[in-house]
PDB file of all heavy atoms in Angstrom:
ATOM      1  N   THR D 293     -37.648  13.530  -3.851  1.00 78.00           N
ATOM      2  CA  THR D 293     -37.345  13.127  -2.477  1.00 78.00           C
ATOM      3  C   THR D 293     -36.851  14.351  -1.713  1.00 78.00           C
ATOM      4  O   THR D 293     -36.444  15.343  -2.300  1.00 78.00           O
ATOM      5  CB  THR D 293     -36.254  12.041  -2.456  1.00 78.00           C
ATOM      6  OG1 THR D 293     -35.091  12.548  -3.125  1.00 78.00           O
ATOM      7  CG2 THR D 293     -36.736  10.775  -3.133  1.00 78.00           C
ATOM      8  N   GLN D 294     -36.899  14.263  -0.392  1.00 85.00           N
ATOM      9  CA  GLN D 294     -36.400  15.356   0.434  1.00 85.00           C
ATOM     10  C   GLN D 294     -34.877  15.354   0.390  1.00 85.00           C
ATOM     11  O   GLN D 294     -34.242  14.314   0.545  1.00 85.00           O
ATOM     12  CB  GLN D 294     -36.878  15.186   1.871  1.00 85.00           C
ATOM     13  CG  GLN D 294     -36.524  16.335   2.784  1.00 85.00           C
ATOM     14  CD  GLN D 294     -37.047  17.668   2.288  1.00 85.00           C
ATOM     15  OE1 GLN D 294     -36.299  18.453   1.727  1.00 85.00           O
ATOM     16  NE2 GLN D 294     -38.339  17.905   2.491  1.00 85.00           N
ATOM     17  N   THR D 295     -34.287  16.510   0.178  1.00 90.00           N
ATOM     18  CA  THR D 295     -32.832  16.612   0.104  1.00 90.00           C
ATOM     19  C   THR D 295     -32.268  17.065   1.445  1.00 90.00           C
ATOM     20  O   THR D 295     -32.942  17.709   2.235  1.00 90.00           O
ATOM     21  CB  THR D 295     -32.397  17.601  -0.985  1.00 90.00           C
ATOM     22  OG1 THR D 295     -32.900  18.909  -0.658  1.00 90.00           O
ATOM     23  CG2 THR D 295     -32.938  17.170  -2.338  1.00 90.00           C
ATOM     24  N   ARG D 296     -30.996  16.740   1.666  1.00 93.00           N
ATOM     25  CA  ARG D 296     -30.326  17.182   2.889  1.00 93.00           C
ATOM     26  C   ARG D 296     -29.858  18.634   2.754  1.00 93.00           C
ATOM     27  O   ARG D 296     -29.994  19.413   3.681  1.00 93.00           O
ATOM     28  CB  ARG D 296     -29.143  16.254   3.200  1.00 93.00           C
ATOM     29  CG  ARG D 296     -29.552  14.803   3.520  1.00 93.00           C
ATOM     30  CD  ARG D 296     -28.314  13.931   3.679  1.00 93.00           C
ATOM     31  NE  ARG D 296     -28.610  12.577   4.094  1.00 93.00           N
ATOM     32  CZ  ARG D 296     -28.843  11.559   3.252  1.00 93.00           C
ATOM     33  NH1 ARG D 296     -28.854  11.784   1.944  1.00 93.00           N
ATOM     34  NH2 ARG D 296     -29.074  10.347   3.710  1.00 93.00           N
ATOM     35  N   PHE D 297     -29.284  18.958   1.600  1.00 93.00           N
ATOM     36  CA  PHE D 297     -28.865  20.333   1.339  1.00 93.00           C
ATOM     37  C   PHE D 297     -30.038  21.106   0.752  1.00 93.00           C
ATOM     38  O   PHE D 297     -30.719  20.610  -0.159  1.00 93.00           O
ATOM     39  CB  PHE D 297     -27.682  20.366   0.364  1.00 93.00           C
ATOM     40  CG  PHE D 297     -26.402  19.822   0.930  1.00 93.00           C
ATOM     41  CD1 PHE D 297     -26.039  18.499   0.718  1.00 93.00           C
ATOM     42  CD2 PHE D 297     -25.556  20.634   1.678  1.00 93.00           C
ATOM     43  CE1 PHE D 297     -24.850  17.994   1.228  1.00 93.00           C
ATOM     44  CE2 PHE D 297     -24.364  20.136   2.197  1.00 93.00           C
ATOM     45  CZ  PHE D 297     -24.016  18.811   1.979  1.00 93.00           C
ATOM     46  N   THR D 298     -30.265  22.313   1.228  1.00 90.00           N
ATOM     47  CA  THR D 298     -31.402  23.082   0.738  1.00 90.00           C
ATOM     48  C   THR D 298     -31.258  23.436  -0.737  1.00 90.00           C
ATOM     49  O   THR D 298     -32.253  23.626  -1.439  1.00 90.00           O
ATOM     50  CB  THR D 298     -31.561  24.387   1.556  1.00 90.00           C
ATOM     51  OG1 THR D 298     -30.334  25.121   1.522  1.00 90.00           O
ATOM     52  CG2 THR D 298     -31.929  24.074   2.988  1.00 90.00           C
ATOM     53  N   SER D 299     -30.025  23.518  -1.217  1.00 86.00           N
ATOM     54  CA  SER D 299     -29.797  23.830  -2.629  1.00 86.00           C
ATOM     55  C   SER D 299     -29.833  22.597  -3.520  1.00 86.00           C
ATOM     56  O   SER D 299     -29.626  22.686  -4.728  1.00 86.00           O
ATOM     57  CB  SER D 299     -28.450  24.541  -2.792  1.00 86.00           C
ATOM     58  OG  SER D 299     -27.395  23.711  -2.313  1.00 86.00           O
ATOM     59  N   GLY D 300     -30.059  21.424  -2.924  1.00 83.00           N
ATOM     60  CA  GLY D 300     -30.103  20.184  -3.695  1.00 83.00           C
ATOM     61  C   GLY D 300     -28.903  19.303  -3.424  1.00 83.00           C
ATOM     62  O   GLY D 300     -27.807  19.797  -3.157  1.00 83.00           O
ATOM     63  N   ASP D 301     -29.113  17.988  -3.502  1.00 78.00           N
ATOM     64  CA  ASP D 301     -28.056  17.033  -3.163  1.00 78.00           C
ATOM     65  C   ASP D 301     -27.205  16.617  -4.362  1.00 78.00           C
ATOM     66  O   ASP D 301     -26.096  16.117  -4.189  1.00 78.00           O
ATOM     67  CB  ASP D 301     -28.665  15.775  -2.540  1.00 78.00           C
ATOM     68  CG  ASP D 301     -29.181  16.012  -1.134  1.00 78.00           C
ATOM     69  OD1 ASP D 301     -28.890  17.086  -0.577  1.00 78.00           O
ATOM     70  OD2 ASP D 301     -29.877  15.134  -0.600  1.00 78.00           O
ATOM     71  N   GLU D 302     -27.736  16.753  -5.557  1.00 78.00           N
ATOM     72  CA  GLU D 302     -27.062  16.294  -6.770  1.00 78.00           C
ATOM     73  C   GLU D 302     -26.957  14.771  -6.781  1.00 78.00           C
ATOM     74  O   GLU D 302     -27.352  14.087  -5.841  1.00 78.00           O
ATOM     75  CB  GLU D 302     -25.686  16.957  -6.928  1.00 78.00           C
ATOM     76  CG  GLU D 302     -25.746  18.483  -6.981  1.00 78.00           C
ATOM     77  CD  GLU D 302     -24.375  19.107  -7.054  1.00 78.00           C
ATOM     78  OE1 GLU D 302     -23.367  18.359  -7.032  1.00 78.00           O
ATOM     79  OE2 GLU D 302     -24.310  20.340  -7.125  1.00 78.00           O
ATOM     80  N   GLY D 303     -26.399  14.236  -7.852  1.00 75.00           N
ATOM     81  CA  GLY D 303     -26.476  12.799  -8.093  1.00 75.00           C
ATOM     82  C   GLY D 303     -25.671  11.903  -7.179  1.00 75.00           C
ATOM     83  O   GLY D 303     -25.991  10.734  -7.025  1.00 75.00           O
ATOM     84  N   LYS D 304     -24.610  12.407  -6.555  1.00 87.00           N
ATOM     85  CA  LYS D 304     -23.742  11.537  -5.772  1.00 87.00           C
ATOM     86  C   LYS D 304     -24.324  11.178  -4.407  1.00 87.00           C
ATOM     87  O   LYS D 304     -23.815  10.281  -3.738  1.00 87.00           O
ATOM     88  CB  LYS D 304     -22.370  12.199  -5.587  1.00 87.00           C
ATOM     89  CG  LYS D 304     -21.557  12.282  -6.865  1.00 87.00           C
ATOM     90  CD  LYS D 304     -20.178  12.866  -6.592  1.00 87.00           C
ATOM     91  CE  LYS D 304     -19.351  12.910  -7.868  1.00 87.00           C
ATOM     92  NZ  LYS D 304     -17.993  13.460  -7.634  1.00 87.00           N
TER      93      LYS D 304
END
Side-chain angles (χ1 to χ4, degrees):
T293 57
Q294 185 57 258
T295 62
R296 296 174 175 90
F297 291 95
T298 55
S299 59
D301 288 350
E302 302 177 358
K304 291 184 178 181

